[in-house]
Amino acid sequence: MSNQGGGDKYGPKEGLHAPAREGRDGRSLSNVSAIFGPRGSSLAPSAQPPGSFSPDLKSATASRTGTPRADFGNFSNSDYANADNTTTSEQRQIDLRDKINKEIKIKLGSENLLEALISKNAKQTKDQRQKVELELSSSNRKIVELKSQLEIEIDRANRPSTPSRSRLSSLFQGSPLRSPARDVEGLEYQQYAADPESESPTYVLAEILQALELEGMQPDYYVERANSLVELFKRYPTLKYDLAWAIFGLRVQTMLLSESREVVAAGYRVTRHAIADRRSLQIIRGLNTDDLVILSLVKESKASIEREQALKFVRAFLDVKDGVHELSNAVIRTVVSVAEHHDDRLRSMALLTISELLIRNPPIVVLTGGVASLADTLVEGNYQSSETLAVAFLHLLDNPQQRKYLKSGHELEAAFTPFTDPVNVHGHEDMLKSSARLIAAILKTWPGIFALSNGNFSSIRSLLLSLYYPIPIAQDLVLDLLFDVLHIKPPSWASSYLAGRRLTTYGRVANLRAEGHDHGSSPDQEDQSCNFSLIDHFTTLLLAIFISCGLLKALSDLVKETTDTALKRKATLLLGEVLKLSNLSLAGTMCFDLQAIPSLVVSASHEKVQNYPLASGMIYQIDKVNRTLYRSDLSSKVQLASSARAHDHTSSSRQSDPVKPKLSTDIDDLQFRNLLLETQVLTTVNYLKWRWDLINDLIEGPLLSPRRLEETMRTNKFLKRITGFYQPLKYRFSDARNTKPNQRYVRTGCALIKTLLQNPEGIVYLTESKLIRQLAQCLAHFDKMSGVTSTTPLFSPYKVSETLTGSYFALLGALSSDRRGLVIIEHWRMINMFYQIMDLKDRDDLVQMLLGNMDFSLDSHLRVMLSKGLTACPKNIRIYATKLLRPYATTPLQSIHRQKNEPGRCEWAIRLLVTQLYDPEVEVCEVAVQILEEACNQRTHLEYVVRCRPALDHLGEIGAPLLLRFLSTSLGYQYLDGLDYITQEMDDWFSGRNDSYVKLVEASLARALSAQPERPKWTGDDHLQPHEYGIVPPHFYRELTRTVEGCKLLKEYGHFGKFAATIRDSWAEAEDREIMLKVKGCLWAVGNVGSMELGAPFLEETDVVSWIVKIASESDVMTMRGTAFFVLGLISRSLHGMEILAEHGWNAAADDLGRSFGYCLPSNLGVIFSMNLEPRASPMKPRRRPKPEATKSISDDDPSNARILSLVTDLGNTVLTKKAAGDLYLLKSKAAESFKSTLLFRKVMSVLESHSFRLPVRRFVIDLFDKSVMRHIVLDDESEDD
């Protein structure tokens, strides 16, 4: 029905409109209509994205000239200034950003000027430098303050809130439109709203409903009351269960019939928040809301706020249990028509709604034509989040009972269309990127892989063939897609290599052999079967599929034929990564031929072949890439081992740099003197001109020689100037900005201290130097008994955060790593100052820097200080200190003995971690459990943790993984058996925890395969993730099978035999979800037991492996096959499991020693993908015939009405649409009374429900009827004639 509201005139007061002329739909709440903003304009705050809805439901517009009207009340300037909080907040943010940019420019100019002044004579520019430094400090301080204000303002703007009741109420105080009695009522309402703690929810609800009963008020009045009602429902969630729907429903109907779009939107919002259960949905539908929702959805886009709230109201049905069954076909068809309208701004929300409905209730979506709409969207490739729509199709493909709802089963193959049609590629880069994301999402699920397996993976073959099209943008996207799908993380040097730099500059491995020897794997290290990666196993299958589809040939041909250098290098890098990955994950019989790259070798072995130079050059490039990849992996392992010893990753001195050659200590005197001169330290005091890389090499190389060090201290000023640079009171190092390039000063300072500590004369020099003395003096500021005070302390919060002052703790940490350095620290009484810092309540930054940089490997007062931080400091410090224990508790014992010869180094850290298990904060306990669980990877550490006898009952699920680790040793088994933990846990897992384990694994796998944003390089929690997604979680039966005692108990209870029997009896189940969940739980239990060498007898006795292989090759449920595939990989991790699987035709990848990686594949991939995806005969066809009620409603005894119904039906035919529309216009002009009939309107709505119509057609049909029809239908006051 058309909204005709012309003649709007703006008065002199902003936000008020003249009364609108009476419209045609009869939806009038009052005879005066005031609209805040132009019709159809979005009233959401500008800070929110399109499609969002402001709880304020108000907007302001600039005043326009027009017919003047009376002044309604007295408005203050503050009312106008605060008319739109969002706009004011945005303006404040803009002003703050402008100020920040201005201060940043001042700061940069001051820094540039300061650097220029430093290069000049220091005495001549002293005054200027002081002024510039003051200006720089002022700018830094202002920037910090402005950024803090900006963050507060952004947080305030993003915080959801309702409009201020006091402001909106005062807007109408004194208005001639309100009587004094109403003003008093408004004040009473305001008082109740101002004090929510003393309010009675039922009384406030009654007051608001009574206020909504008033007629003739401005729309803003009703919007404000509706928002207050929503806030009341939020504060008292149980209030909606006791609503008097006779009264509440009438108020809602009245709001939904209003002429004001804002009031209608507020009505939908109130109704949505009043939904409690399915019964409430039935009551709401009894208010004829279906017709009202359809009326709102078919309106033009200018009524965006009303349409948006109507669609949100429809989506609220999905949040209620079984609420999806309360959605009528008419409403769903209307939503489908919105989704099919490409220019509609609500199209994305409508598409998501249909996809959710397809998952919840497939039959009704099929009946209303929603599947075709989703499939067409995937084919177009214009929808930016098409991977979210594919989830619905993947869900239906999984189960054969749901597969019948799909027309062909090939809907997902449409995602490959943009890549296989080279004509339409140019100018459609966004479509290609969207399709690439969609293909990646499909290939990361089991139903997706099975859906693409049709025709021997013809879709994947066509994707690889698209690499032959000379279209660089498409080729580049396909290569990126392959990197993503195969989970290949490009090496650190990839960007430089792709830019054209030489490979010889990367991955240098000087001194790698010695360092690698130091960090060799310990035989005491626990086996890594508990860290089996499901992602790696899944990637192995994808790799085998792509290789079988011709991946290597496509990449080789791309490298040979493309003229784009960057593309050629990327393809070469991918080819090298694929060869490396296949060598590690595929069985030997599969990868032997791949490594030779037969096509290239043949071309390169015959000089007369035309492509001989190109082929040989390619082999040379691939060989270089492979060698560099190998060196990079080896180097990264060394750096990882080095970082495991590091005690604080935030410390600048501990950052791991690429390994590079150092200067030898045996260089001759002449060369040494020349190197000293090249550093520029002896020629100038300006440290900006010094060559810090050469200084660092000298300190870590030649100066380690006692003779060189003594000679340098005695004959020149090299060390004096270096140590003078670090003196705090010279304000050179301490005033340097805390930037990444300046971290070289910190690294060199730590190296200098470590070098001096290696020589007796260096120790004396360091003890007597002004560096340590002045540093102790500055730290004494925190000791109240020292008497040292300063108006500008060195370790002020600003200096610590903005300059390198905080890095002095890194230098102290270098001192604490040696016993002789600890003596120096105690000599200057710094330990007392450390304790004073630990007692500071408002300097958590200093406490973290102190703890993070100290070396606690030596038994000293520092461990006592750490213990204080673990127990007596605030929660955030306790969590931070607990994380610092990780490198000490997880260090292998062999490296401890070799480095320190202190066997108790790990034990003290483990004892402190056990103490943290009793911390009152759960977060601290959780971190301690994670570290202890990692430490238990080593059997010696595990036994020591058991000897500590920790009590974990109070932690519940948090401590369960650690208790499971105790089962892996006989000592732990005896300890837990004494607590009666094992039998209780076994009964718990057998009765229900196996099913929960399935959900945990599947959720972990889905999270690991989903697209996640890149994490920052350092977050402080690199080693302490709550769960490593994609890794097999700990399982009770696997840990139980690690010991002989556990195997005896498992055999005694007979659980494994029951698991095998369940698999054997119910493996083919495809309908009952509970039974399928039970089978999956049994599969994971069998796989975890079979992954242990002691579990081999259980596999042989039950012959369960043959049934698992049968599930992987014959089950009709795709995810069931995937579960069996992962379980077979677990079984292949044991030597006996490999032998059993080899008998069934499944091969596992193994290393040179015959140890399995756990990546198991069948000899013939077709065994896994032998599944018929053709949909069975769908039972939906009989339901497509109109129901008897619908057939009866289409006919009418009145010839005019029958003609109207026939023409409405013809509107669904694109050929007859134009003629039918013209005839309907003609009939309306001749028989206008027919379009006022409620009975005819209901019949027309039945036609719209039973047929598919485009959105403009639905709008056209409904607008034909008079607006009074909807009021009669909603209020149930049909005329007697009807």
Side-chain angles (χ1 to χ4, degrees):
M1 293 184 291
S2 62
N3 278 329
Q4 297 180 358
D8 291 347
K9 300 294 183 182
Y10 294 85
K13 292 302 179 182
E14 182 179 5
L16 295 179
H17 289 232
R21 210 170 39 161
E22 185 175 356
R24 297 189 51 192
D25 59 357
R27 301 175 60 163
S28 176
L29 182 63
S30 64
N31 56 0
V32 177
S33 176
I35 305 174
F36 287 74
R39 301 289 292 210
S41 62
S42 176
L43 300 182
S46 57
Q48 297 181 357
S52 62
F53 176 68
S54 169
D56 197 337
L57 282 176
K58 292 178 58 183
S59 69
T61 181
S63 61
R64 304 179 184 177
T65 60
T67 305
R69 38 177 314 191
D71 186 8
F72 295 104
N74 298 321
F75 294 86
S76 63
N77 292 333
S78 61
D79 292 330
Y80 290 112
N82 298 323
D84 193 341
N85 287 336
T86 304
T87 304
T88 306
S89 176
E90 283 187 351
Q91 187 61 43
R92 284 197 294 267
Q93 293 179 31
I94 293 174
D95 295 340
L96 288 172
R97 288 191 174 96
D98 292 340
K99 293 179 181 180
I100 291 174
N101 292 333
K102 180 180 178 181
E103 292 298 332
I104 289 176
K105 292 179 181 178
I106 296 175
K107 176 184 175 182
L108 293 176
S110 301
E111 290 173 349
N112 295 334
L113 180 58
L114 185 61
E115 290 183 2
L117 292 175
I118 289 175
S119 61
K120 297 181 180 179
N121 193 320
K123 295 182 179 180
Q124 296 177 359
T125 60
K126 181 178 180 181
D127 296 337
Q128 289 180 302
R129 280 193 295 107
Q130 290 179 350
K131 292 180 181 179
V132 175
E133 288 174 354
L134 288 175
E135 184 66 28
L136 181 60
S137 300
S138 175
S139 297
N140 288 327
R141 184 175 64 256
K142 289 181 181 179
I143 290 173
V144 173
E145 293 175 356
L146 290 172
K147 286 183 178 180
S148 176
Q149 295 176 14
L150 180 60
E151 290 177 359
I152 294 174
E153 190 62 41
I154 293 174
D155 181 68
R156 184 187 296 117
N158 293 335
R159 188 182 304 123
S161 62
T162 55
S164 172
R165 296 188 180 95
S166 60
R167 177 176 65 82
L168 294 177
S169 298
S170 65
L171 200 62
F172 294 97
Q173 291 177 8
S175 172
L177 297 178
R178 301 182 59 185
S179 64
R182 291 174 182 171
D183 289 339
V184 173
E185 177 189 339
L187 290 174
E188 292 177 353
Y189 162 77
Q190 179 179 340
Q191 292 173 0
Y192 279 108
D195 189 9
E197 294 183 359
S198 61
E199 67 183 0
S200 171
T202 54
Y203 181 78
V204 175
L205 176 62
E207 288 292 320
I208 297 176
L209 293 179
Q210 185 177 359
L212 288 173
E213 188 178 0
L214 297 176
E215 297 183 0
M217 306 301 297
Q218 299 290 333
D220 196 47
Y221 171 85
Y222 301 101
V223 170
E224 180 186 352
R225 267 60 186 175
N227 287 335
S228 302
L229 196 56
V230 171
E231 289 298 319
L232 187 67
F233 285 143
K234 289 181 179 179
R235 289 199 301 271
Y236 303 99
T238 58
L239 186 62
K240 56 189 176 184
Y241 292 95
D242 301 324
L243 284 177
W245 280 98
I247 301 174
F248 182 81
L250 182 60
R251 302 293 177 269
V252 168
Q253 286 178 320
T254 308
M255 293 182 69
L256 294 179
L257 288 171
S258 172
E259 286 185 358
S260 173
R261 298 165 186 152
E262 291 79 14
V263 176
V264 177
Y268 283 125
R269 186 166 180 253
V270 169
T271 311
R272 172 161 54 91
H273 283 84
I275 295 174
D277 49 23
R278 187 175 182 180
R279 173 60 182 164
S280 64
L281 291 178
Q282 295 171 350
I283 296 174
I284 291 173
R285 290 192 63 196
L287 302 176
N288 296 304
T289 55
D290 287 354
D291 294 331
L292 291 169
V293 168
I294 294 172
L295 173 62
S296 297
L297 288 177
V298 301
K299 286 187 176 181
E300 296 181 358
S301 58
K302 61 183 181 181
S304 58
I305 192 169
E306 178 182 342
R307 300 179 70 239
E308 179 182 333
Q309 286 301 312
L311 189 52
K312 285 186 176 181
F313 172 70
V314 174
R315 289 182 58 81
F317 282 60
L318 305 179
D319 298 331
V320 179
K321 183 180 180 181
D322 297 330
V324 67
H325 301 292
E326 295 300 328
L327 284 172
S328 65
N329 290 1
V331 173
I332 297 178
R333 279 196 184 275
T334 308
V335 176
V336 171
S337 66
V338 174
E340 292 174 346
H341 196 59
H342 293 274
D343 299 331
D344 200 303
R345 64 186 297 267
L346 294 182
R347 182 174 183 245
S348 298
M349 189 185 298
L351 286 170
L352 289 176
T353 304
I354 297 172
S355 64
E356 292 182 32
L357 283 171
L358 186 58
I359 295 175
R360 304 280 187 86
N361 191 4
I364 193 171
V365 178
V366 175
L367 189 63
T368 54
V371 176
S373 177
L374 294 178
D376 292 343
T377 304
L378 293 180
V379 173
E380 294 166 4
N382 295 323
Y383 187 64
Q384 294 299 319
S385 301
S386 53
E387 59 270 21
T388 59
L389 304 182
V391 173
F393 291 99
L394 295 172
H395 176 75
L396 295 183
L397 283 171
D398 180 36
N399 194 298
Q401 300 301 319
Q402 297 175 338
R403 224 171 284 155
K404 62 188 178 183
Y405 296 117
L406 297 179
K407 186 176 181 180
S408 64
H410 304 287
E411 287 80 2
L412 294 177
E413 295 180 7
F416 295 83
T417 303
F419 289 99
T420 56
D421 187 6
V423 178
N424 297 326
V425 169
H426 293 288
H428 298 82
E429 288 79 6
D430 293 338
M431 181 190 299
L432 288 175
K433 292 179 181 179
S434 177
S435 298
R437 291 194 300 268
L438 175 59
I439 295 172
I442 294 173
L443 286 172
K444 291 178 181 179
T445 61
W446 283 110
I449 296 179
F450 280 100
L452 301 180
S453 64
N454 287 320
N456 194 17
F457 298 98
S458 59
S459 300
I460 296 179
R461 294 179 186 274
S462 65
L463 178 67
L464 295 178
L465 289 175
S466 68
L467 290 173
Y468 291 92
Y469 299 144
I471 305 174
I473 179 65
Q475 292 171 327
D476 187 65
L477 284 174
V478 172
L479 294 181
D480 290 337
L481 171 65
L482 293 172
F483 272 106
D484 180 25
V485 170
L486 297 178
H487 294 89
I488 296 175
K489 184 179 179 181
S492 58
W493 45 265
S495 58
S496 300
Y497 170 67
L498 296 179
R501 293 178 60 186
R502 295 179 59 192
L503 271 175
T504 53
T505 59
Y506 313 119
R508 290 178 177 171
V509 288
N511 302 326
L512 191 61
R513 182 176 302 175
E515 294 188 18
H517 178 73
D518 289 342
H519 303 290
S521 59
S522 170
D524 184 63
Q525 186 77 14
E526 189 72 21
D527 62 348
Q528 298 298 317
S529 60
C530 58
N531 292 330
F532 176 54
S533 174
L534 300 177
I535 300 298
D536 292 345
H537 195 194
F538 189 80
T539 303
T540 300
L541 177 62
L542 284 176
L543 178 64
I545 292 173
F546 274 99
I547 289 177
S548 66
C549 293
L551 173 62
L552 294 180
K553 185 178 185 303
L555 291 177
S556 302
D557 294 342
L558 177 62
V559 175
K560 288 190 295 185
E561 297 174 3
T562 184
T563 57
D564 191 326
T565 305
L567 198 61
K568 178 177 295 189
R569 282 177 169 255
K570 179 180 283 191
T572 303
L573 178 60
L574 178 60
L575 186 57
E577 290 279 7
V578 168
L579 292 175
K580 185 185 73 170
L581 187 61
S582 62
N583 185 43
L584 293 176
S585 57
L586 297 180
T589 54
M590 297 183 181
C591 69
F592 286 158
D593 295 337
L594 303 178
Q595 301 298 324
I597 319 180
S599 59
L600 284 179
V601 173
V602 172
S603 300
S605 58
H606 297 83
E607 297 185 5
K608 297 182 181 180
V609 177
Q610 181 179 1
N611 294 329
Y612 166 75
L614 186 59
S616 58
M618 275 189 58
I619 293 179
Y620 175 67
Q621 286 290 332
I622 295 172
D623 180 60
K624 285 204 303 182
V625 169
N626 277 327
R627 285 187 280 114
T628 308
L629 285 172
Y630 171 76
R631 294 199 302 266
S632 299
D633 290 344
L634 195 56
S635 178
S636 63
K637 291 178 182 179
V638 171
Q639 292 183 14
L640 183 62
S642 302
S643 64
R645 296 183 322 226
H647 306 141
D648 176 41
H649 296 268
T650 62
S651 172
S652 302
S653 63
R654 312 299 169 91
Q655 292 179 355
S656 57
D657 296 325
V659 181
K660 61 179 181 179
K662 302 293 190 303
L663 293 176
S664 172
T665 57
D666 299 331
I667 60 176
D668 55 44
D669 295 344
L670 179 60
Q671 185 180 1
F672 177 69
R673 285 194 294 269
N674 290 335
L675 289 174
L676 288 179
L677 291 175
E678 289 178 10
T679 61
Q680 302 296 321
V681 176
L682 300 178
T683 57
T684 178
V685 294
N686 186 358
Y687 70 91
L688 296 176
K689 296 182 179 181
W690 295 352
R691 291 187 54 186
W692 285 95
D693 54 344
L694 186 55
I695 294 173
N696 191 80
D697 290 345
L698 283 172
I699 291 174
E700 294 182 345
L703 288 182
L704 288 173
S705 171
R707 184 177 67 84
R708 295 291 185 197
L709 182 61
E710 180 184 359
E711 177 186 349
T712 304
M713 288 189 295
R714 182 167 43 83
T715 60
N716 55 56
K717 297 182 178 181
F718 180 82
L719 287 179
K720 182 179 179 180
R721 288 188 176 179
I722 294 293
T723 54
F725 164 74
Y726 290 101
Q727 291 177 17
L729 300 183
K730 282 194 174 182
Y731 299 105
R732 304 173 75 187
F733 174 79
S734 58
D735 279 0
R737 287 188 300 159
N738 187 13
T739 60
K740 186 175 181 180
N742 287 348
Q743 298 304 315
R744 55 182 178 171
Y745 306 146
V746 185
R747 290 191 292 269
T748 303
C750 295
L752 176 63
I753 290 178
K754 291 180 179 179
T755 298
L756 292 176
L757 289 175
Q758 301 301 317
N759 193 291
E761 294 189 5
I763 296 174
V764 175
Y765 181 85
L766 193 60
T767 307
E768 297 176 353
S769 67
K770 293 182 180 180
L771 168 62
I772 305 299
R773 185 188 309 128
Q774 291 181 8
L775 189 54
Q777 181 181 349
C778 294
L779 287 172
H781 170 75
F782 298 105
D783 190 355
K784 298 179 181 179
M785 304 300 294
S786 64
V788 178
T789 59
S790 174
T791 55
T792 58
L794 180 69
F795 293 97
S796 63
Y798 169 75
K799 281 192 169 247
V800 168
S801 62
E802 296 295 327
T803 68
L804 292 180
T805 300
S807 298
Y808 278 116
F809 289 104
L811 304 184
L812 293 174
L815 273 177
S816 66
S817 62
D818 193 283
R819 291 196 179 277
R820 291 159 291 193
L822 290 173
V823 173
I824 297 176
I825 291 177
E826 294 176 358
H827 173 76
W828 290 104
R829 303 184 183 278
M830 292 187 188
I831 293 294
N832 298 338
M833 306 166 198
F834 291 165
Y835 282 117
Q836 296 295 331
I837 293 175
M838 295 295 297
D839 291 333
L840 296 177
K841 302 299 182 184
D842 56 345
R843 295 301 305 275
D844 289 351
D845 57 336
L846 272 184
V847 176
Q848 288 191 7
M849 281 191 174
L850 175 61
L851 293 176
N853 286 281
M854 292 299 110
D855 191 326
F856 302 102
S857 56
L858 300 176
D859 191 5
S860 64
H861 276 284
L862 296 179
R863 289 187 182 178
V864 181
M865 182 183 70
L866 176 61
S867 178
K868 182 177 181 179
L870 290 168
T871 55
C873 288
K875 183 179 76 171
N876 61 323
I877 299 296
R878 299 204 305 274
I879 294 176
Y880 181 79
T882 305
K883 293 177 182 178
L884 292 177
L885 291 172
R886 180 192 168 276
Y888 304 101
T890 58
T891 304
L893 286 180
Q894 282 197 352
S895 62
I896 297 173
H897 299 163
R898 182 168 57 248
Q899 296 170 10
K900 301 290 184 179
N901 197 22
E902 294 180 3
R905 183 186 178 196
C906 291
E907 296 177 358
W908 69 270
I910 292 175
R911 286 196 300 269
L912 290 178
L913 285 171
V914 172
T915 304
Q916 293 303 95
L917 296 176
Y918 308 105
D919 192 278
E921 296 292 341
V922 179
E923 292 88 345
V924 180
C925 301
E926 188 173 2
V927 173
V929 168
Q930 292 173 12
I931 300 174
L932 284 174
E933 187 180 358
E934 184 179 354
C936 289
N937 287 334
Q938 302 175 63
R939 184 174 297 274
T940 308
H941 293 8
L942 173 59
E943 293 179 351
Y944 185 77
V945 173
V946 173
R947 292 193 190 98
C948 294
R949 305 182 67 84
L952 301 173
D953 296 341
H954 64 289
L955 296 180
E957 291 296 326
I958 296 177
L962 187 57
L963 288 174
L964 286 181
R965 299 305 302 272
F966 288 177
L967 283 174
S968 60
T969 63
S970 299
L971 183 63
Y973 180 91
Q974 296 171 6
Y975 169 64
L976 295 177
D977 189 34
L979 299 176
D980 198 24
Y981 166 83
I982 299 178
T983 54
Q984 294 180 7
E985 194 73 4
M986 179 177 283
D987 294 338
D988 190 14
W989 275 80
F990 185 76
S991 59
R993 290 280 291 279
N994 268 334
D995 301 342
S996 303
Y997 185 86
V998 175
K999 299 177 181 178
L1000 175 63
V1001 173
E1002 293 182 350
S1004 173
L1005 185 62
R1007 177 67 181 273
L1009 291 174
S1010 63
Q1012 297 293 327
E1014 292 186 5
R1015 295 176 51 200
K1017 292 183 179 180
W1018 165 245
T1019 61
D1021 295 334
D1022 282 352
H1023 301 283
L1024 295 172
Q1025 294 302 313
H1027 187 272
E1028 291 292 341
Y1029 299 111
I1031 302 297
V1032 178
H1035 197 285
F1036 174 79
Y1037 288 100
R1038 179 177 62 203
E1039 303 301 328
L1040 189 67
T1041 320
R1042 290 181 183 271
T1043 59
V1044 177
E1045 297 88 345
C1047 292
K1048 291 180 179 178
L1049 184 66
L1050 179 60
K1051 188 172 183 179
E1052 178 183 347
Y1053 274 73
H1055 286 182
F1056 192 90
K1058 295 178 182 178
F1059 294 150
T1062 301
I1063 295 172
R1064 184 173 57 252
D1065 298 338
S1066 307
W1067 71 272
E1069 181 62 43
E1071 298 182 8
D1072 194 324
R1073 293 188 176 275
E1074 292 186 2
I1075 295 179
M1076 288 191 293
L1077 182 64
K1078 194 75 174 176
V1079 173
K1080 289 182 180 179
C1082 295
L1083 284 173
W1084 283 113
V1086 168
N1088 279 282
V1089 172
S1091 64
M1092 298 289 102
E1093 294 295 343
L1094 294 178
F1098 296 100
L1099 298 177
E1100 289 186 345
E1101 292 174 1
T1102 57
D1103 193 26
V1104 70
V1105 175
S1106 60
W1107 290 99
I1108 299 176
V1109 171
K1110 191 172 185 178
I1111 293 175
S1113 57
E1114 299 181 17
S1115 176
D1116 289 334
V1117 182
M1118 297 177 181
T1119 52
M1120 186 70 77
R1121 289 198 185 193
T1123 302
F1125 174 78
F1126 287 132
V1127 169
L1128 291 175
L1130 273 175
I1131 294 176
S1132 70
R1133 294 184 68 81
S1134 64
L1135 181 60
H1136 197 77
M1138 285 180 61
E1139 297 175 355
I1140 297 177
L1141 287 173
E1143 297 175 358
H1144 291 84
W1146 287 64
N1147 301 319
D1151 59 10
D1152 296 336
L1153 299 179
R1155 294 175 298 190
S1156 172
F1157 293 126
Y1159 310 139
C1160 185
L1161 293 175
S1163 302
N1164 180 14
L1165 286 179
V1167 172
I1168 303 180
F1169 301 104
S1170 57
M1171 178 182 290
N1172 183 17
L1173 297 180
E1174 295 297 330
R1176 302 175 183 176
S1178 175
M1180 299 305 300
K1181 291 184 179 180
R1183 298 186 61 180
R1184 290 184 181 274
R1185 294 196 300 267
K1187 296 181 292 186
E1189 300 87 346
T1191 305
K1192 182 179 180 180
S1193 66
I1194 294 177
S1195 61
D1196 197 286
D1197 296 335
D1198 188 342
S1200 177
N1201 292 348
R1203 176 61 177 164
I1204 292 173
L1205 292 172
S1206 176
L1207 290 174
V1208 170
T1209 305
D1210 290 343
L1211 288 174
N1213 189 331
T1214 55
V1215 178
L1216 303 175
T1217 299
K1218 188 174 181 179
K1219 182 179 183 302
D1223 292 344
L1224 284 172
Y1225 266 126
L1226 184 62
L1227 281 174
K1228 183 178 181 181
S1229 63
K1230 293 181 178 180
E1233 292 298 324
S1234 298
F1235 292 94
K1236 295 182 181 180
S1237 170
T1238 57
L1239 181 59
L1240 179 62
F1241 180 80
R1242 290 184 182 277
K1243 291 183 179 181
V1244 169
M1245 294 299 290
S1246 297
V1247 174
L1248 295 180
E1249 178 182 357
S1250 56
H1251 296 79
S1252 296
F1253 295 93
R1254 294 181 296 111
L1255 184 64
V1257 173
R1258 292 178 180 272
R1259 183 187 308 125
F1260 167 76
V1261 172
I1262 294 178
D1263 284 349
L1264 289 173
F1265 286 84
D1266 190 81
K1267 64 177 185 177
S1268 61
V1269 174
M1270 183 60 70
R1271 173 174 288 276
H1272 292 320
I1273 290 178
V1274 173
L1275 299 180
D1276 294 329
D1277 57 348
E1278 289 92 338
S1279 63
E1280 294 182 0
D1281 294 340
D1282 291 341

